[in-house]
């Protein structure tokens, strides 16, 4: 490659090799020490009989420095927000403030037991109550549960409540309408709750086709699951008409809050006709993604759905203290043990405190500004299938580059060499070869410029030497992996005899 | 930036939102705070949250020591602030760590393989039941009543719309599953038997006998493990078809109930029906070993409404805590750790049995036991709170037939003097209640 295409953001660097932890293990190495036992020793054989375990198989035996080096070396093979822009559309990879991590580890909060008496749980309850109040204000809804462990479980909870609501009206109804631009969890969730899924076509502007909705809407429809802004980053301008169409026939409007980062402090779903929605604290409210979790997916609802919230809910008691209410006969039940991913509540609330009303508004404005700056920077270089105004993310397609045989995934892999994490490639399904880019508010102008420069440079490479892009990434410690072989003959664990050294 | 985009103000970018829905006022939420104020606010909340109390609570959430290397490592930004490792070339650290997690969980549970984690033990158990329904093509689930009551509640929620009828099987005087009743409950329509071992009362089930009953009728056996530390000294449920485990004990803070780390482990032949993410080993084009997320055709982002589950996010960072914990203790340490838990519990149960009734003595137990008292355990607990001690979990709410019973737990962190103090206070209250009872008939006579 010519120096013209050298990236300004990244350069090659020594990367440590590291085997599997099992390959470093040898008998006698240890990183643990227990205090002397202050009660009599027990005869485990006598106590447990045939239930006594004699051998722990291939569990590792390593020293502390080896553990530190092992996981530190592994960590250096990852890309992360802390290293740079992570423009995964609809995933909202924003900065994860360190104060969140600090306060989540304060002793009384980190070591609080879920079953300790309410009298000594007032701190945790106050955190749940304050976060709930803030989220209700942000969404414009009436009641909330923090219990769902992630966005998909939030969807499940929301649809269970939709179903319980309709059942209480005497008819559970049969199906859920889902736009063809929706995230894959939406149809999977509807099926889990026992609803048939009916697709709803988008119009030429990438929005819900209101005429089609009017035609498809009838008394068999329990709800419409809409994402707003949708996965094209486009605000559903006719959202209130959509809500009216639903409501006229007794249906409910469900909003997937994945893209709430475009709306916080600027517009409230509760004001534009949404009946039930989930939030992703790990997207909009800065709790870390941690390589794939933990998430947290609170569900906010309008008043008529409140009786169906999972148990327990946090209430203020007559004496002013907080407590859990379990006696809720119409509740859909529990969706997980205890009260949800409490550690994420702490982090999300710390984020809300750090921002305040003005900060949250500026955050949203910056997120939308950054997305539009990227859009402007790449317009013309990449095909824009829908030129409808963008909110917090922009979706291009690989139409121009695929003429040279280069697809969105190839462009994404080449972007890795430029020191950026790829954008989202897998959806929306309505854009073949999508490049879904969400910069978030966290990115400074300099980083955005580097990204635009990298994308333009890759587009030039496609014209000059498409094969070079097809062979990317070139600078990672491993090249493209054989995913077909991985699925055909799955090796899902290490075994001494199959180890490839 | 405005100039580059060709607009005069940011407001123009929000024009797609109809004007009547655009907020005109500030949100009514607390004002912006400085970092020092935020830290202060949460420290105040911590003080109102049982900071400095000694606790004897378990019941699905266990207080074990967390080696400091765990937080040192999981707070590395490359782990903390990375996304799900879909772009494998750029995420080998997370992927290899998941692969090691899957391996260690398989080793510990005695299963062939394990997934990359589930939300927690309760949802893991519910997902295991739905998996068993898919594998067997049968509908009914037989559930042990001594499975964690909240796990049962979650299963009820999940099973309602999957049309999975449930049959509950009760427990014997030793607190373990009633095998005769189980024998009667399992039939040709049973997809699975779901038990917990050590069960909710802390006693260890005869997994072999239960497996035989389930398998005889072609049903699968699912074993839920809420206390992972037991696996250091208790034989794993090798005869099970699916193990649904909560791994919180392995280095995950109590954190008022979450986030925790569920995980499913199973036999190789069932892998394509297992929900959740899986990391697999493969090679790159130069033959170098690497790892990818695999068997994605089971998952929602590919299969949409035909997926094995709607699960998307898992508990990757928490699974990493678990992995580091398992690596620190390893083959020898996990056993020694479990032995200490066992010794403390034997000592505590012995001490309690001198003053109150310790139930379910007929079966071996791990680190929990049920104490039945004359007095209401809520009353006892509220007195203990005055001494900064959190007593056992009163069981009335879940098992009214056990009367004044509470579930107590000891771990390696419970000291002998803590046990002696708690036992002393319970003994004192038992003595005073008994004295009052002795006095009462005389008073009536007078």
């Amino acid at each position: 490659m010519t120096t013209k295409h050298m990236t300004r953001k990244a350069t090659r660097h020594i990367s440590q090799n590291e085997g599997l932890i099992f390959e470093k293990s040898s008998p006698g190495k240890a990183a643990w020490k227990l205090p002397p036992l202050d009660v009599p020793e027990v005869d485990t054989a006598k106590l447990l009989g045939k239930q006594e375990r004699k051998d722990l198989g291939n569990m590792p035996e390593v020293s502390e420095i080896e553990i530190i080096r092992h996981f530190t070396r592994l960590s250096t093979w990852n890309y992360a927000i802390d290293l740079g822009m992570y423009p995964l559309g609809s995933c909202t990879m924003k900065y994860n403030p360190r104060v969140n991590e600090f306060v989540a580890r304060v002793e009384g909060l980190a070591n609080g037991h879920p079953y300790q008496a309410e009298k000594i749980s007032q701190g945790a309850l106050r955190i749940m109550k304050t976060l709930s109040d803030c989220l209700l204000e942000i969404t414009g809804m009436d009641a909330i549960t923090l219990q769902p462990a992630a966005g998909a479980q939030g969807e499940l909870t929301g649809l269970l409540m939709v179903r319980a609501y309709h059942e209480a009206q005497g008819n559970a109804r049969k199906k859920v309408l889902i736009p063809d631009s929706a995230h894959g969890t939406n149809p999977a969730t509807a099926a889990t709750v026992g609803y048939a899924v009916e697709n709803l076509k988008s119009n030429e502007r990438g929005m819900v086709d209101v005429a089609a909705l009017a035609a498809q809407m009838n008394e068999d429809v329990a709800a419409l699951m809409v994402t707003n802004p949708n996965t094209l980053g486009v605000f559903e301008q006719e959202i209130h008409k959509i809500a009216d169409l639903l409501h006229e026939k007794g249906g409910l409007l469900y909003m997937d809050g994945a893209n709430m980062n475009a709306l916080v402090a600027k517009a409230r779903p509760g004001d534009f006709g949404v009946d039930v929605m989930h939030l992703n604290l790990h997207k909009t409210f800065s709790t870390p993604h941690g390589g794939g979790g933990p998430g947290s997916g609170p569900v906010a609802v309008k008043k008529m759905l409140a009786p169906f919230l999972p148990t327990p809910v946090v209430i203020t008691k007559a004496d002013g203290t907080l407590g859990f209410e379990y006696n809720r006969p119409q509740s859909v039940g529990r969706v997980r043990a205890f009260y949800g991913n409490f550690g994420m509540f702490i982090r999300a609330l710390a984020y809300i405190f750090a921002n305040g009303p003005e900060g949250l508004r500026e955050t949203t404005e910056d997120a939308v500004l950054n997305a539009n700056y990227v859009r402007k920077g790449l317009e013309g270089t990449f095909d824009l299938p829908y030129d409808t105004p963008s909110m917090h993310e922009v979706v291009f397609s690989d139409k121009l580059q695929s003429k040279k045989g280069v697809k969105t995934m190839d462009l994404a892999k080449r972007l890795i060499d430029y020191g950026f994490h790829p954008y989202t490639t897998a959806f929306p399904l309505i854009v073949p070869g999508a490049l879904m880019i969400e910069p978030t508010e966290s990115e400074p102008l300099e980083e955005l410029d580097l990204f635009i420069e990298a994308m333009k440079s890759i587009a030039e490479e496609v014209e000059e030497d498409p094969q070079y892009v097809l062979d990317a990434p070139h600078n990672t410690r491993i090249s493209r992996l054989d995913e077909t072989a991985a699925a055909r003959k799955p090796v899902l664990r290490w075994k001494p005899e199959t180890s490839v050294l | 930036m405005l100039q580059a985009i060709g607009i005069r103000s940011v407001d123009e970018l929000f024009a797609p939102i109809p004007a009547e829905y655009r907020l005109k006022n500030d949100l009514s939420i607390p004002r912006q705070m400085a970092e020092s104020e935020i830290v202060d606010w949460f420290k105040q909340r911590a003080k109102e949250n049982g900071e400095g109390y000694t606790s004897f609570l378990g019941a699905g959430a266990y207080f074990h020591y967390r080696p400091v290397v765990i937080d040192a490592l999981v707070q590395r930004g490359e782990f903390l602030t990375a996304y799900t490792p879909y772009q494998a070339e750029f995420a080998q650290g997370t992927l290899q760590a998941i692969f090691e997690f899957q391996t260690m969980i398989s080793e510990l549970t005695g299963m062939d393989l394990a997934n990359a984690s589930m939300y927690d033990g309760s949802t893991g158990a519910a997902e295991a039941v739905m998996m068993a329904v898919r594998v067997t093509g049968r509908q009914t689930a037989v559930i042990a009543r001594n499975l964690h009551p909240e796990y049962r509640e979650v299963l009820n929620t999940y099973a309602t719309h999957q049309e999975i009828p449930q049959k509950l099987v009760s427990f014997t005087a030793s607190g373990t599953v009633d095998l005769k009743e189980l024998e009667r409950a399992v039939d040709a329509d049973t997809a699975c038997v779901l038990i917990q071992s050590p069960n909710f009362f802390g006693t260890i089930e005869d997994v072999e006998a239960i497996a035989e009953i389930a398998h005889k009728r072609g049903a699968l056996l699912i074993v839920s493990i809420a206390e992972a530390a037991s696996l250091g000294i208790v034989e794993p449920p090798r005869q099970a078809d699916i193990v649904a485990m909560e791994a919180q004990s392995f280095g995950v803070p109590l954190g008022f109930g979450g986030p925790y780390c569920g995980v499913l482990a199973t036999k190789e032949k069932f892998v394509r029906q297992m929900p959740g993410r899986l990391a697999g080993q493969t090679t790159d084009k130069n033959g170098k070993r690497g790892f990818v997320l695999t068997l994605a055709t089971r998952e929602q982002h590919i299969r949409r409404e035909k997926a094995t589950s709607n699960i998307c996010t898992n508990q990757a960072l928490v699974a990493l805590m678990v992995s580091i914990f398992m690596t620190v203790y390893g083959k020898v340490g996990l056993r020694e750790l479990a032995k200490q838990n066992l010794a403390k519990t034997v000592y505590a149960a012995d001490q309690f049995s001198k003053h109150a009734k310790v139930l379910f003595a007929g079966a071996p137990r791990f680190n929990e036991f049920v104490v039945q008292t004359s007095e209401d355990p809520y009353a006892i607990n509220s007195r203990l709170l005055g001494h900064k001690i959190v007593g056992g979990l009163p069981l009335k709410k879940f098992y009214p037939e056990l009367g004044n019973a509470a579930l107590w737990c000891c771990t390696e962190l419970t000291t002998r003097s803590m046990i002696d103090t708690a036992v002393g206070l319970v003994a004192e209250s038992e003595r005073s209640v008994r004295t009052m009872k002795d006095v009462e008939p005389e008073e009536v006579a007078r």
Side-chain angles (χ1 to χ4, degrees), chain A residues 145-422:
Chain A
T145 175
L146 303 178
Q147 200 177 93
Q153 215 196 14
E155 287 177 28
L156 174 71
T157 308
L159 282 193
L160 284 169
M161 292 171 71
V162 165
R163 197 176 174 114
Y165 167 81
H166 287 304
E167 276 169 5
Q169 314 277 311
N171 176 8
R173 303 192 171 208
K174 296 198 178 75
K175 56 191 181 188
V176 168
L177 300 180
I178 297 177
D180 48 12
S181 59
H183 190 262
T185 51
N186 294 172
T189 306
T192 308
V193 183
Y195 280 125
V197 173
E198 191 170 302
N199 262 312
L200 191 62
K201 277 212 159 33
S202 303
N203 65 19
E204 70 288 348
R205 302 187 66 212
M207 297 189 221
V208 168
D209 188 328
V210 176
L213 173 64
Q216 276 173 268
M217 186 62 208
N218 57 43
E219 260 124 46
D220 282 341
V221 175
L224 164 67
M225 292 181 92
V226 69
T227 307
N228 195 22
N230 65 23
T231 52
L232 292 171
V234 171
F235 190 86
E236 295 284 354
Q237 287 178 21
E238 296 184 297
I239 188 71
H240 207 266
K241 256 190 226 164
I242 293 169
D244 286 347
L245 278 173
L246 262 290
H247 294 154
E248 273 164 26
K249 297 267 162 71
L252 296 174
L253 182 57
Y254 185 102
M255 186 175 123
D256 181 328
N259 292 338
M260 198 59 200
N261 213 43
L263 300 183
V264 174
K266 297 296 283 187
R268 311 193 310 167
D271 295 339
F272 53 69
V274 171
D275 301 303
V276 45
M277 66 178 292
H278 78 266
L279 294 161
N280 298 277
L281 300 187
H282 50 292
K283 293 181 181 178
T284 318
F285 296 94
S286 85
T287 77
H289 278 76
S296 178
V299 175
V301 297
K302 286 284 172 60
K303 210 172 272 156
M304 77 281 190
L305 287 168
F308 309 104
L309 287 170
T311 52
V313 296
V314 178
I315 52 158
T316 307
K317 299 200 275 197
D319 62 0
T321 63
L322 298 170
F324 288 113
E325 189 184 61
Y326 290 87
N327 183 20
R328 299 179 63 82
Q330 288 191 286
S331 166
V332 296
R334 260 183 190 288
V335 295
R336 60 153 288 170
F338 312 123
Y339 322 111
N341 284 344
F342 178 76
M344 301 300 117
F345 309 160
I346 298 175
R347 291 169 173 88
L349 186 57
Y351 169 83
I352 291 171
F353 285 166
N355 278 285
E358 309 84 14
L360 286 184
R361 188 176 51 235
E362 283 163 22
T363 291
T364 305
E365 289 174 353
D366 288 350
V368 174
L369 184 65
N370 281 353
N372 278 280
Y373 184 79
V374 169
R375 172 173 165 159
K376 194 76 187 174
L378 295 178
E379 250 174 347
T381 308
F382 295 91
D383 169 63
L384 190 68
Y386 295 92
D387 66 351
T388 323
S390 298
M391 298 294 291
H392 68 301
E393 66 191 4
V394 55
V395 178
F396 291 100
S397 92
D398 63 10
K399 196 171 157 190
L400 303 175
Q401 290 69 32
S402 61
K403 286 179 193 151
K404 295 265 178 184
V406 178
K407 304 277 190 210
T408 179
M409 188 56 97
D410 306 313
L411 299 167
K413 295 295 184 196
R414 181 63 180 139
L415 189 57
I416 292 174
D417 287 332
Y418 281 81
F420 285 97
H421 194 278

Side-chain angles (χ1 to χ4, degrees), chain A residues 38 51 53 57 75 78 110 112 137 192 240 266 291-292 334 336 338 353 361 413 477 479 482 492-493, chain B residues 21 23 26 28 76 82 87 89 94 107 112 150 157 162 233 235 255-257 282 314 331 335 344:
Chain A
D38 60 358
Q51 305 276 16
R53 181 177 208 163
S75 76
N78 275 358
E137 171 67 10
T192 308
H240 207 266
K266 297 296 283 187
R334 260 183 190 288
R336 60 153 288 170
F338 312 123
F353 285 166
R361 188 176 51 235
K413 295 295 184 196
R477 41 178 303 112
S479 56
D482 189 343
L492 304 172
R493 62 175 289 186
Chain B
Y21 304 128
L23 286 180
D26 278 352
S28 169
R76 284 192 64 90
Q87 299 289 346
E89 300 87 348
T94 295
E107 290 287 337
D112 295 336
E150 293 197 4
T157 310
Q162 302 280 315
I233 194 76
E235 183 61 9
F256 207 62
T282 186
N314 61 2
K331 190 178 168 78
R335 186 177 158 84
K344 303 272 186 172

Side-chain angles (χ1 to χ4, degrees), chain A residues 101 307 389 448:
Chain A
E101 297 305 309
L448 296 175

Side-chain angles (χ1 to χ4, degrees), chain A residues 439-494:
Chain A
T440 84
E441 71 279 8
S442 304
E443 299 311 327
L445 182 60
E446 291 72 17
E447 188 82 359
L448 296 175
D449 283 336
L450 284 173
F451 176 75
I452 292 167
E453 180 184 298
M455 290 297 290
K456 284 184 159 169
S457 174
I458 294 168
E460 283 172 29
E461 288 176 347
V462 170
E463 297 305 317
E464 294 161 10
D465 185 1
Q467 193 55 45
Y468 194 76
V469 178
L470 289 170
D471 292 340
H474 298 279
N475 294 333
T476 46
R477 41 178 303 112
I478 50 161
S479 56
R480 279 198 217 187
L481 289 156
D482 189 343
E483 299 196 17
T484 317
R488 194 175 302 142
K489 224 172 160 276
V491 179
L492 304 172
R493 62 175 289 186
W494 176 84

